[in-house]
Amino acid sequence: MAVDLSKTLIVMPAYNEEAVIAQVLKEVYSTNPGISCLVVDDGSRDRTTEISGQAGAIVATLPYNLGVGGAMRVGFNYALANGFDNVVQVDADGQHNPQDVARLVAELSNADLVLGARFAGSGDYEARGPRKWAMIVLAKLLSRSAHAQLTDTTSGFRASGPRAVKLFAQHYPAEYLGDTVESLVIAARAGFVIKQVPVSMRARAGGTPSHSPIKATIFLVRVGVAMLFAFLRPPVKEIGQSQL
């Protein structure tokens, strides 16, 4: 069954992705008829903004780098201001398969937040070493908090429904990986229904990763500590329309 994507906004944080973003946007539009896409150029020093606009995307250009969380908050606020119900985060480097967008959005019919999960029976992506151990621990903790089986809590490929969009427009963590893990804590403690859909991740199509595997492992440990503090904070209440 076809999924209506007219009220869905893809938000694509991008940092120095001039080498690949045109091809990524071409695939997004060809596989998701009727979709709108906002590229948030997160302080790039290359032609990301220019190329994104030429490829047909709406572009928000930030004067300096805020990180994925800050870029996504821009996207959530844009969605609210322009009548979109759902937001789907898609990487600008080609690792997320745009063909899976409709599957994530379809699952929003009975969930507030849907994760594209790499470790749920699809694809051959595998983490190793300390990174793998940290991800397993995070998944177990967040599965218990969310009352759902979650295998990939650090996935940035995710769809947010109307309730989540409203909440995240004001309460979306800006720290590296906090935008994935801590946002799940916020959603779970707000009583949101969180689900996952198995997806296959692809190799980066080009450009340079913003963090090396070693740095990513260090940040995973740090975000684990931050998550513990997130559980100690008072839960964020769902925001009503009158409060926006």
Side-chain angles (χ1 to χ4, degrees):
M1 183 177 67
V3 178
D4 181 9
L5 297 174
S6 61
K7 288 292 187 179
T8 296
L9 176 70
I10 286 179
V11 176
M12 191 178 293
Y15 180 64
N16 294 334
E17 298 288 2
E18 66 176 10
V20 296
I21 198 162
Q23 180 58 39
V24 172
L25 287 167
K26 180 179 179 180
E27 187 178 8
V28 162
Y29 288 127
S30 66
T31 57
N32 296 281
I35 200 81
S36 296
C37 184
L38 171 70
V39 171
V40 182
D41 184 345
D42 192 20
S44 297
R45 298 183 299 274
D46 63 4
R47 297 173 60 238
T48 293
T49 286
E50 178 186 350
I51 293 173
S52 299
Q54 292 173 348
I58 309 158
V59 184
T61 304
L62 305 183
Y64 48 86
N65 185 263
L66 295 180
V68 176
M72 284 304 302
R73 189 178 290 195
V74 171
F76 287 123
N77 278 281
Y78 181 91
L80 278 180
N82 290 275
F84 291 99
D85 294 333
N86 312 313
V87 165
V88 181
Q89 179 181 343
V90 175
D91 277 0
D93 58 15
Q95 292 190 78
H96 298 158
N97 189 341
Q99 294 184 15
D100 290 325
V101 167
R103 294 174 55 225
L104 269 64
V105 173
E107 198 65 29
L108 286 174
S109 61
N110 51 23
D112 298 297
L113 184 62
V114 180
L115 309 181
R118 294 166 288 187
F119 315 116
S122 180
D124 55 5
Y125 181 93
E126 184 179 358
R128 295 180 175 86
R131 180 184 178 91
K132 179 179 180 179
W133 307 332
M135 293 173 83
I136 290 174
V137 171
L138 292 174
K140 288 183 179 295
L141 288 172
L142 283 165
S143 292
R144 179 174 296 183
S145 177
H147 305 291
Q149 182 62 40
L150 304 177
T151 60
D152 190 6
T153 57
T154 62
S155 173
F157 192 19
R158 52 179 60 191
S160 301
R163 296 172 67 200
V165 170
K166 291 177 184 177
L167 187 67
F168 289 156
Q170 293 193 20
H171 299 283
Y172 205 72
E175 298 81 7
Y176 178 61
L177 289 180
D179 59 283
T180 52
V181 175
E182 190 175 350
S183 65
L184 289 178
V185 175
I186 291 171
R189 300 189 76 193
F192 288 177
V193 176
I194 303 172
K195 296 192 174 185
Q196 67 179 27
V197 171
V199 298
S200 297
M201 295 291 179
R202 306 183 297 192
R204 169 181 271 270
T208 303
S210 58
H211 292 273
S212 69
I214 294 176
K215 287 184 178 180
T217 300
I218 294 172
F219 274 109
L220 274 168
V221 175
R222 289 180 60 186
V223 82
V225 175
M227 189 181 72
L228 294 178
F229 283 102
F231 277 114
L232 295 175
R233 298 192 192 105
V236 176
K237 295 182 179 179
E238 187 176 352
I239 301 170
Q241 186 65 37
S242 62
Q243 294 174 268
L244 297 175

